[in-house]
Amino acid sequence: MDNIPPPAQELVLLDRELARLDARRAQLLARRAWLLSVLYPPAPSTAAVAPRGTTPRSAQNVLLMLGGVLLAVAAVAFTLVSWGHLGIGGRAAVLGVVTAVALAAPVALLRRGLASTAESVAALGLVLMVLDAYALHRVALPGADGLGYAAVVSGVLAVAWAGYGAGAGRLRLPLPAAVAAAQLPLPLGALAADAGAVSVAWAMLVTAGLDAVLALWARPSMLVRGVACAGACVAGAWVVLTGVRLSVVTGGAGAAVLLLAASGLALYVAWRTAALREDVAVVCAVVAGLAAVAGAGGLLRGALPAGWAVPGYLLCAVAVAAAVWAGRVPGGVRLGLLGASGVVQGLSVAWAAAPLVVAVVRPGHGAPWTTPVVLVTVAAALMVPRRAAAGAGALIVGSAAALSLPEAVRLPYAASLTARLVLTAALLALVARPEVWARRLPREGRAVAPGGVLAAVALACGLASAAVAAWAASTGPVASVVVPGVLAALFAGAALAAVAQGVTVRAVAACVAVVAATGCVGAGAGLAGLQARGTALALLAVPAATVAVGARLRLHPVALPVELTGAGAALVAVGLAAARPAHLALVLALCGVLAAATALRPERRPAAGYAAAALFVAAAWVRLAASGVAAPEAYTLPVTVPALVVGVLRRRRDPEASSWTAYGPGLAATLVPSLVAAWGDAEWERPLLLGLGALAVTLAGARLRLQAPLVLGGAALALVGLHELAPYIAQVVGALPRWLPPALAGLLLLGVGATYEQRLRDARRLRETVGRMR
């Protein structure tokens, strides 16, 4: 289709239209800016109206601050040092005139716009007023009580500074200074009157209340509010700490009433600030909760028998938490009060844990009744929120209470063991069926996988209970066999029943069952009067059972942990048989049989196969050493030759097979025992023959590019050479000056360091060459 007009002409028209649009847009933007300037005129620039001679703001503030500090220092020096050179009239006249000038000058400076200068001079005036009060005490009232005079002066200064700040409204420093001075009159007055700690604390509490009223109601400036809040925090902390100390140490109604009043003030502040500053509300609510618990607990102390003070405080903490859950409380206040209750509950649990640990470590020692009472109370309190975390905590604390109960009621030995086994069984039942405990949680509490969490917690508690039962059973011959056997059955049942739980829970339960079975077998062997070597053979029944279980489970994730735990029992058996080489050889051989049986499974073949070979070789070496054989080659060479033939045949069928798999066991079977014998042989025949054999193996490995012969032969050849050269090296080193070996070592290090990069490349090439071998 033809375009009208042509494309080139149309492009020119479009460019002209766009240019006109841009010009029109610029015109409209300029008009808009003019209209905005008419409707909203800009504020006059401070720099434009500032008097000549003013300096930049930062430098000015620094200079003024330094000037004020220097003037204050000069005033203090004058008052303390040069005061005695003037008469009473001269002293009063000088300080009065200087103070009046320092207080009047800021007003004039503010009228001229010199606000920073006015602030500095006003600060000097406030310092001079303090010096005036000091001078008045030294000259006119030398016999007045220092604390009482300070209380009166601080009150007068607070009022005077407040009036001065209100009169000169643009000064920022006098009002905060007045608030700071107002913190002192009541506490200093209480101290001057020789009142007790409770009266001083009441004075501090009233001061904190006035600060809170000022910060919450008067709506002062940010600086004044900050000083008031800081004063309230310091005074409130003093009151609470003093009240808690008196409540815990001495008790009494005075400290209790003080703490309850402080709690009410802190709770009021928390409630008022909950909607504006939740963090402040949380902190104030924590203080309120702690003060309330300490105060109410102090009142209960007089009515409770000795030793029951902690349960009394705990009861008050639980009451605070119950009141919070029952009422409609703002979020920050709720969090703070529950946090305070949780702190007291945690401290109570820690207090109760000490006698529980003593009772566990020393069975039959007994535990006070307060221990299970405290733990049961905390567990019941944790059940109130009906959340997964709280339910787990209740399970932990409740289990601890159940552990302490037999000691608290002084149950007989057998009954105590039975009770702990029953507790372990109940906890393991929860591992298999955690939904029984989780039913107490509402739907929102079950959202965070309560089954898995509670199962893990129940398993941990079951482990603790089982450990306590096993420790207590260790003191009885029969119980040391029966209790581990029962525990093995319980944990094995839990591992089988906890099908719906994670693999970790089942694996841990199964491994604990193996450990308990090991303890049962060991204790049974000891009860039967078997010696260590007999016990070692008996313990091999445990790894034999785990090998059978592993063969049944095969690729199940629980199989490997169970087998490794059984291998740990085998290590214990080896340790028990180590004192008798002949029995050690038998134990090693039996372990090799178990490893070989495990290697029949494809998934375990590599690791178990190597382990079986190593165990058989170790058993042979130990057996030879126990028999006093001086020529181990007569026994090792008949093993090495067929092993190497088997390796050659395997390499022919599978050229990719590793040389370590094909030739490693056969070569090690002869080289290692011969090397051990050569190091203890004073003759020259065996080292010579072994060196020649190792040289032949090394050359064969290098020629055929086989890693195992090269490494094993080279290592044996190097060790034989070191053995033969060791006496001569020792003689040479003994004949050299003592400074020469360190010097040579230093030169060697310098040479290696100078050619470090080249040596590194050589080592890398050697590693790559050996790594490419099969």
Side-chain angles (χ1 to χ4, degrees), residues 10 29 55 58 71 73 86 108 141 161 169 189 268 296 450 478 696 707 732:
E10 185 178 1
L29 288 174
T55 59
S58 58
L71 287 175
V73 170
L86 299 176
L141 302 170
W161 290 347
Y268 169 76
V478 178
Q707 191 178 101
V732 171

Side-chain angles (χ1 to χ4, degrees), residues 413-457:
Y413 180 73
S416 176
L417 284 179
T418 303
R420 284 162 179 169
L421 289 176
V422 170
L423 173 62
T424 304
L427 291 170
L428 294 180
L430 282 181
V431 173
R433 298 286 301 277
E435 62 273 9
V436 175
W437 189 262
R439 286 197 189 103
R440 283 197 47 81
L441 305 177
R443 291 187 176 180
E444 62 271 17
R446 303 180 197 177
V448 192
V453 173
L454 292 177
V457 172

